[in-house]
Amino acid sequence: MTAALAADAEWAQIFTDRRRSLPFRVGICVLAGVTIGAFVDIRLVVLWLGLFLAMQGVEWALGDRVRTRWIGAGVLLITNAVIGAPVLVEIQTFGVWGAVVAIALLAGTLTIGAAGARSSGLAYLMVLIPSAVYLALIPWFAWRQGATGRDVFLMAVNDPLLVMSSFVAWRASARALLGEAAARARAERADEAKSAFVALVGHELRTPISAMLAGVAEAGKARSPAEAAAHLRLIDDAGRMMRTLLNDLLDLSKLEAGRLAVVCEPFDPRRLLAETEAFWAPEARARGLGFEVVGAAALPPALLGDGVRIRQILNNLLSNALKFTTDGAVTLVVTVTPGADTALQLGLTVIDTGPGLTADQAQGLFNPFHQAHAGVARTHGGTGLGLSISRDLARLMAGDLTLATRPGEGCAFTFTSPFAAAPPLEAVDVVARPPAGLRILLADDHEVNRRAFALMLGPVAAELVCVADGEAALRAANDGDFDLILLDLNMPRMGGLEAARLLTARAGGPPILALTASVACEDIAACTAAGMVGFIAKPVEPAELYAAIEAALAA
């Protein structure tokens, strides 16, 4: 039924196009009639023009109101039969030369008709059949008019070549139209997706921003330290929510551009799972759910891979499981099996006792911005990016993320990937913060950023100089003696990279850290090439800032 409706719509478009070109067809046929009328019985010309104009009137009346392709096909067949009829008169009147002119006219009719048939094979046949019949009759009429056998043979051979040429022209036109239609459909879908994306992100941003504004307003009215602390926790939660959204959007952008890479470095899988359990167990208890990690003891002490991205995948899966489970428990099952060569196949399965999904709901669940049904975003929030990003990350690790589910039986998301075992990691002492009394130079073009970093650096800085661009940072570095320099990469007049190259050209300068919202591999490489010893990704938390400073000072 859908295909039939599409075909009828195409016929309506064909007749709309023919309606637009009607003046051209009428002009050509009137000119042809006047020319032929000088040599043949004028009554034949008048009869032919009358039939032609009658069919054009029918087409004009139909316009884009053609509701079935069969009506359109009949009208088009009769019209083309009428248009080609004068070629037989031309042969009777002008002999062999009339046959040549007739062939040329039919070639033009076929070419124009093929282009006007759009991508409809039926419409093309309605153009082809009358012209092909006339082409087949021309050699016979020419022979009757005294043409030589050679001329008749050449005409007969020429006819199928004209038909083939018109077919090639129609196919090329049809492909171009189909390609244009597909491109238009893609553009419309992209436009719809963009609009939906803007609306979705706008909704997701309004929630934490509203929470921040409310927390700030109420914190000033707090009647006790405990009440003020509650408002500050609200602001902190809202900030983390915004950071998660921003990270998801950046990850999706990098994945689509092929610019996101996973690292291969030793990490402790047991510690990773223990920290994950410690993070999510309180959330599960608060919701009245059980939470358990099974099989972690089988893990080796260290693996080679990207522990940060594995943690991101687990957090996405556990967040979804707890979000959609109202009764029962969430279980993280760990499996380790021998893989190819010396690799181990690690499996992490998050099982919940939620409502599960139907086959239709599960379809497309790993697509960006997809929600299982319309009420998910309204009830639970979220952008629908987590599962898409998690699967792409799994595949970057030569693994995969799969789903097993049935309605009423919960969901089981399984991440699998090969990893190589690594030597056990040495215990590292965790430094809470760098030593106090540092002299720090900070360059950032946004005042809000400078104020935020000043708050975080206050406990460790004896002297903090804040400037707004790279040129000011150079002047401040010349005038003062600093232990550390923090440079934003994108600043007016002079960016952080150029300032870093000039600063590091001097012998004995302080270490320089980059402040950046982009942590793409090429950006990090540019920072290193400019002489920076590390980078701090925005938005940043105090602990991350202190760790980066400690590493820079140690280097």
Side-chain angles (χ1 to χ4, degrees):
M1 181 63 70
T2 302
L5 291 175
D8 290 344
E10 185 171 40
W11 274 93
Q13 186 60 52
I14 288 173
F15 274 84
T16 298
D17 295 343
R18 288 181 64 82
R19 195 175 190 177
R20 295 193 188 103
S21 63
L22 179 61
F24 171 77
R25 293 200 306 278
V26 171
I28 291 295
C29 287
V30 169
L31 179 62
V34 170
T35 303
I36 297 174
F39 303 98
V40 301
D41 189 342
I42 192 65
R43 290 173 297 180
L44 293 176
V45 175
V46 171
L47 175 62
W48 173 69
L49 283 176
L51 289 173
F52 169 74
L53 292 175
M55 293 308 302
Q56 301 312 300
V58 171
E59 288 193 20
W60 180 269
L62 287 173
D64 59 357
R65 293 186 293 276
V66 177
R67 291 291 179 263
T68 170
R69 56 192 181 279
W70 299 113
I71 294 175
V75 171
L76 202 58
L77 179 65
I78 296 172
T79 298
N80 283 284
V82 170
I83 290 175
V87 302
L88 301 181
V89 177
E90 290 175 351
I91 299 174
Q92 295 286 352
T93 304
F94 303 111
V96 176
W97 282 108
V100 174
V101 173
I103 291 173
L105 290 175
L106 288 173
T109 301
L110 273 173
T111 302
I112 295 173
R118 298 181 66 84
S119 59
S120 171
L122 180 59
Y124 171 67
L125 282 176
M126 297 304 100
V127 173
L128 175 65
I129 289 173
S131 298
V133 170
Y134 291 135
L135 284 171
L137 290 174
I138 285 175
W140 183 77
F141 273 91
W143 177 71
R144 291 285 302 272
Q145 293 297 314
T148 65
R150 182 189 64 181
D151 293 338
V152 171
F153 173 76
L154 291 175
M155 291 179 193
V157 171
N158 183 69
D159 292 347
L161 294 178
L162 287 178
V163 172
M164 291 175 59
S165 298
S166 74
F167 177 77
V168 171
W170 170 72
R171 286 297 298 163
S173 176
R175 288 195 188 98
L177 286 169
L178 291 173
E180 179 185 351
R184 187 184 302 111
R186 286 194 299 271
E188 290 173 353
R189 288 195 299 270
D191 188 58
E192 292 173 0
K194 178 182 177 182
S195 299
F197 166 76
V198 171
L200 183 63
V201 172
H203 174 270
E204 290 299 313
L205 285 175
R206 286 190 191 99
T207 300
I209 289 174
S210 298
M212 285 180 173
L213 295 175
V216 170
E218 294 301 320
K221 306 174 186 177
R223 292 184 293 270
S224 67
E227 188 176 349
H231 297 318
L232 292 176
R233 283 195 298 273
L234 174 62
I235 297 171
D236 180 67
D237 291 341
R240 293 177 186 276
M241 185 185 301
M242 290 184 66
R243 180 178 180 176
T244 299
L245 173 62
L246 176 62
N247 287 339
D248 282 348
L249 294 174
L250 291 175
D251 282 347
L252 177 67
S253 175
K254 293 174 186 174
L255 285 165
E256 290 181 341
R259 297 174 59 189
L260 185 65
V262 294
V263 301
C264 185
E265 59 187 13
F267 71 96
D268 185 344
R270 298 175 184 174
R271 180 177 178 181
L272 186 153
L273 289 182
E275 292 174 349
T276 300
E277 182 178 13
F279 182 83
W280 289 106
E283 176 75 12
R285 287 195 298 269
R287 294 173 177 266
L289 302 173
F291 185 82
E292 185 180 11
V293 177
V294 178
L299 289 168
L303 292 173
L304 283 175
D306 196 328
V308 173
R309 294 302 184 181
I310 296 173
R311 189 190 302 271
Q312 181 179 354
I313 293 172
L314 280 178
N315 285 341
N316 281 330
L317 298 181
L318 291 170
S319 175
N320 276 350
L322 292 172
K323 184 187 300 183
F324 295 104
T325 304
T326 55
D327 297 298
V330 173
T331 306
L332 173 56
V333 178
V334 183
T335 59
V336 181
T337 56
D341 300 328
T342 59
L344 300 174
Q345 188 76 8
L346 174 64
L348 301 173
T349 302
V350 175
I351 304 171
D352 64 57
T353 56
L357 298 172
T358 65
D360 290 339
Q361 290 173 338
Q363 186 177 11
L365 196 62
F366 291 103
N367 294 335
F369 307 109
H370 181 88
Q371 303 280 15
H373 51 80
V376 169
R378 186 169 56 252
T379 305
H380 300 285
T383 59
L385 293 176
L387 290 177
S388 171
I389 292 172
S390 296
R391 186 182 65 172
D392 288 341
L393 289 175
R395 291 178 175 177
L396 281 176
M397 300 180 199
D400 205 355
L401 179 62
T402 58
L403 166 64
T405 182
R406 286 185 181 179
E409 298 183 10
C411 295
F413 288 90
T414 300
F415 161 71
T416 56
S417 181
F419 293 93
L425 301 176
E426 297 181 2
V428 178
D429 294 332
V430 178
V431 179
R433 64 176 55 175
L438 296 177
R439 291 160 298 176
I440 300 175
L441 171 60
L442 168 70
D444 195 299
D445 58 327
H446 288 286
E447 181 185 358
V448 172
N449 284 343
R450 294 196 296 270
R451 289 165 60 187
F453 278 108
L455 287 174
M456 289 185 282
L457 292 171
V460 299
E463 179 186 358
L464 177 62
V465 176
C466 296
V467 296
D469 57 69
E471 291 181 355
L474 289 176
R475 290 194 298 269
N478 287 332
D479 297 338
D481 185 16
F482 296 99
D483 299 311
L484 181 71
I485 299 176
L486 305 178
L487 295 177
D488 183 33
L489 294 188
N490 297 310
M491 294 183 290
R493 289 182 292 277
M494 182 184 291
L497 290 175
E498 184 179 355
R501 282 191 287 267
L502 294 174
L503 288 169
T504 53
R506 309 169 184 176
I512 303 174
L513 284 173
L515 302 176
T516 176
S518 176
V519 291
C521 295
E522 56 268 29
D523 296 322
I524 297 173
C527 292
T528 303
M532 299 181 177
V533 297
F535 66 94
I536 301 169
K538 299 177 183 177
V540 64
E541 294 187 21
E544 296 172 342
L545 176 61
Y546 297 152
I549 292 175
E550 179 66 21
L553 294 176

